Every structure is written in structure tokens, then in C-alpha cells.
Amino acid sequence: MKQKSIVVAAAVFLVLVFGLGAVYYQNQKAEKAAQTAKENAVALLRAHSPSFGNISAPVHIVEFLDPACGTCRDFYPRVKQLMAAHPGKIRVSVRYAPFHTGSDQVVRVMEAARNQGLFKETLEALFASQELWVRNHTAHLDLIWPSLSGIGLDMERLKADMVRPEVAQLIQQDLVDANTLDVTMTPEFFVNGKPLPSFGFEELKKLVEDALAEANRK
Amino acid sequence: MWISPWTLVFSAWLVAATATLGALFLGEVMGMLPCVLCWYQRIFMFPLVFVLAGGLFPFEAKVVRYALPLAVAGLFVASFHLLLVAGVIPEGMTPCTQGVPCSKVQVQWFGFLTIPLLSMLAFLAVNGLLICAHVKSSK
């Protein structure tokens, strides 16, 4: 019997150390992320970034996004709903974090489409057809064209705009900023400069609601 | 000093459980991606926790025979990994072509303690303890 209690006590102890360690580590990490975001506020927002919603909205979400990322695709309609639930109160800026192989080429397409005023339509078409052009975590540029045919893009102009040096520069700047802000996974959200304490849509929603409440108090 | 075979197997279990939770902490909490060789080491370490626990109640000395193959195989992988990190085995020979390269040192505590070294020490301890338990119980 004594042996049994030793083993049970050891198991409980190990699991407890694991659990407390995990909580402690998460807290430290969240604190550090908040600190990093605070110190690098300049890197969070660039004038070049596309954005949705009211420009002077009290709540500003910055999303680091990869068009080839499945979770980004799943978050898109939910963030859109969140914006619709608070009309005029939320602005979303998109920063690029093309971490998937080949994804930077797709970002070039998005930027070129922005020149034609079709950014949103292109992003939505890309997300809708993501399964067709992302294979094995690799984005295939040649597979995206069929899904972009219906939105009225001037393809010749698009292909010319894709290779412009400003576009490459913009992507490069976003990647540098992602690195500065310790963004290693997508999507990553910052609400009025604050990172998510832990990842999840509920956490994002809560942070947005807190920011809305704060804005209402002012 | 007399140490019972039970205590030796229990100690081996303790090492395996600590190593398992440690690996899970690095992977799931700290978000470090395991490389291919790390996965093989996990494959040999994780079941030891359950196999050894099963042999403790009621104590069955034969558990060593079932656990030792896992521990020995794990020790081989860990040694291979360590040699790879040390540069003795060239990177080109590794099975890691995608994801995290196995030769990349992700963490280094106190200037020398790396994850593959910890893994090898854990497998060494488990092997040693199990062999001692086997020798003691067959006397």
C-alpha cells in the first residue's frame, strides 16, 4: 500500500509541476508579448497597410495574416461578423506574414488587386478556394487563377503590378515588423496595440469588447 | 545498501514520466516544434511511462524485458541525435529534410545542456536502472 501511495504522490506532484509551470510560462509570455508590442508600437502600424472599416473607429485590430493559412481563413468571417456587430466601431488593418512557402507570391497578387480596388474580393476568393491552391503547406501561384476569374480583375495589369518593387518592399517591411513583434504564427491579432493574452477567437472578442467599453467610457 | 528491484523500476518510471512531461512542456507549452529525431525519441519514451507503471502493481520483474527494448532503441536515437548536433555525423545523412532541422540547437541551458543531451541522459538512466533491477531480481 505504501508503494502505491508513493507512486500516486509522485504522479500528482509531476502533473502539478507541469500545470503550474505551464500557467507561469503562459503568464510570462503574455506579459513579454504585451511589453514587446508596447515598445514597438511603430512596427505595428504602417501607412501602407490595407484596412477595412471606419478609419477613425475607436477599436483598431491589426491582423498579421497569411493567405495560405487555414486558421486565417476560418477567422475571416468571424472577424467580419464582429465588425458587423459593432458598425463603425472597428477597423481592421491587414499586415502580411506569408510564412507558407510560396505565399509571398499570393500576397503580391493581393497587393496588385488592391491597386484595382478589388482587395476584399480577391482575399475572399482566395480564402474560398484555399484548398485548391494550398497543397502540403505550400502555396501554388499557378493554381489560384481559376478562382480569381469571376471578380473582374484586369489580369494583364495585375501581373505587371505584382512584380513592382514597392510590393516586394511592402512585404519585406511587414515581415521585418512581424519579426520585431515576435509574430511567429498566423493569424496574430493586436487590438489597440495589445496582443492576445492567449490564442483564440473568444480571447479576441473579449479584447475587442474591453476596448469598446473603454472607448465608451471616454 | 539494499535497494529493492521495485524501487529501481519505480525510479526508472519517475525518469520516464519526468522526461515525457518535459517533452510535452517544450512542445505544447513553449511551442517548440520537435524535429524528426525528437519524434522517434518521444515514440520510445512515452510508452515507458505506461509499461513501467503497469509492472509496478503488482510488481512484475519481467517488466524489464518489455521495457528495455524501448529504452535501448531510444538510447540509440538519442545518441545519434547528439552526434549529429556535435557535427560528428554530417547533416546530409539525416532524415530531416522538412520542418525543423535536427542539427539546430534550439535551447542551451547553463551553456551545455541541450534537449538531445537531456534525452540521452534520461534514456541512459532508464537503461541503467532497468538493468540493475534485472540483475537484482534474477539473483
Side-chain angles (χ1 to χ4, degrees):
Chain A
M1 271 310 100
K2 198 179 140 232
Q3 290 178 334
K4 250 183 201 168
S5 28
I6 292 174
V7 173
V8 170
V12 169
F13 174 76
L14 287 177
V15 171
L16 218 60
V17 168
F18 183 90
L20 291 176
V23 170
Y24 177 77
Y25 184 84
Q26 295 287 13
N27 283 342
Q28 292 288 100
K29 208 174 108 187
E31 224 165 84
K32 198 177 148 252
Q35 195 62 32
T36 308
K38 217 176 185 179
E39 282 165 8
N40 299 291
V42 188
L44 191 57
L45 274 172
R46 300 283 177 191
H48 66 221
S49 294
S51 83
F52 299 114
N54 176 8
I55 281 189
S56 52
V59 177
H60 191 173
I61 301 175
V62 176
E63 175 177 2
F64 278 84
L65 170 149
D66 181 345
C69 146
T71 312
C72 299
R73 178 198 61 203
D74 296 341
F75 263 75
Y76 181 80
R78 309 186 76 175
V79 172
K80 213 172 156 185
Q81 270 172 22
L82 197 62
M83 285 178 78
H86 307 279
K89 301 272 191 199
I90 302 175
R91 175 187 178 197
V92 177
S93 289
V94 175
R95 305 295 308 271
Y96 301 115
F99 293 149
H100 285 77
T101 312
S103 183
D104 54 323
Q105 293 299 318
V106 181
V107 170
R108 283 168 179 268
V109 173
M110 289 164 68
E111 275 301 302
R114 179 147 75 112
N115 276 351
Q116 300 179 30
L118 290 166
F119 179 79
K120 192 178 157 203
E121 291 75 4
T122 304
L123 178 62
E124 286 180 2
L126 284 171
F127 275 155
S129 61
Q130 202 187 55
E131 275 175 27
L132 297 176
W133 57 270
V134 180
R135 302 249 168 102
N136 244 327
H137 301 286
T138 302
H140 294 274
L141 183 67
D142 50 325
L143 296 177
I144 71 168
W145 306 118
S147 43
L148 295 184
S149 60
I151 51 182
L153 284 164
D154 176 345
M155 283 300 171
E156 240 162 77
R157 203 179 130 201
L158 184 106
K159 284 183 180 169
D161 283 352
M162 269 177 69
V163 291
R164 281 159 65 147
E166 306 96 273
V167 175
Q169 235 167 48
L170 183 151
I171 298 172
Q172 196 48 41
Q173 183 63 57
D174 277 15
L175 280 170
V176 168
D177 288 342
N179 191 36
T180 309
L181 292 161
D182 250 342
V183 173
T184 54
M185 286 175 274
T186 53
E188 186 76 87
F189 295 93
F190 294 84
V191 179
N192 286 354
K194 283 185 208 146
L196 296 186
S198 65
F199 186 77
F201 182 73
E202 287 310 311
E203 283 80 356
L204 173 67
K205 205 174 148 199
K206 188 174 176 301
L207 213 55
V208 167
E209 276 160 6
D210 289 352
L212 281 168
E214 200 180 320
N216 281 339
R217 253 183 275 126
K218 273 176 194 164
Chain B
M1 198 179 82
W2 168 251
I3 302 172
S4 71
W6 185 89
T7 310
L8 290 166
V9 174
F10 168 65
S11 306
W13 174 83
L14 213 55
V15 173
T18 308
T20 295
L21 287 175
L24 287 175
F25 196 93
L26 290 169
E28 303 305 316
V29 180
M30 297 178 70
M32 282 183 205
L33 293 175
C35 77
V36 176
L37 286 175
C38 303
W39 273 115
Y40 288 122
Q41 286 161 75
R42 285 169 165 220
I43 285 163
F44 293 120
M45 185 60 85
F46 291 6
L48 279 172
V49 179
F50 302 96
V51 172
L52 292 175
L56 286 174
F57 301 109
F59 182 63
E60 171 63 76
K62 269 198 186 134
V63 74
V64 172
R65 290 184 39 188
Y66 305 121
L68 209 53
L70 288 170
V72 170
L75 185 60
F76 270 111
V77 183
S79 310
F80 180 80
H81 193 176
L82 214 57
L83 290 174
L84 193 85
V85 174
V88 177
I89 297 168
E91 162 91 283
M93 279 173 64
T94 72
C96 334
T97 46
Q98 277 193 331
V100 186
C102 289
S103 56
K104 191 181 155 217
V105 178
Q106 295 219 54
V107 281
Q108 199 159 30
W109 291 292
F110 316 116
F112 72 98
L113 212 51
T114 58
I115 301 173
L117 181 61
L118 275 174
S119 165
M120 204 202 62
L121 291 176
F123 275 117
L124 260 185
V126 171
N127 276 288
L129 289 162
L130 289 181
I131 289 168
C132 285
H134 181 69
V135 170
K136 290 240 171 181
S137 57
S138 58
K139 256 183 204 164

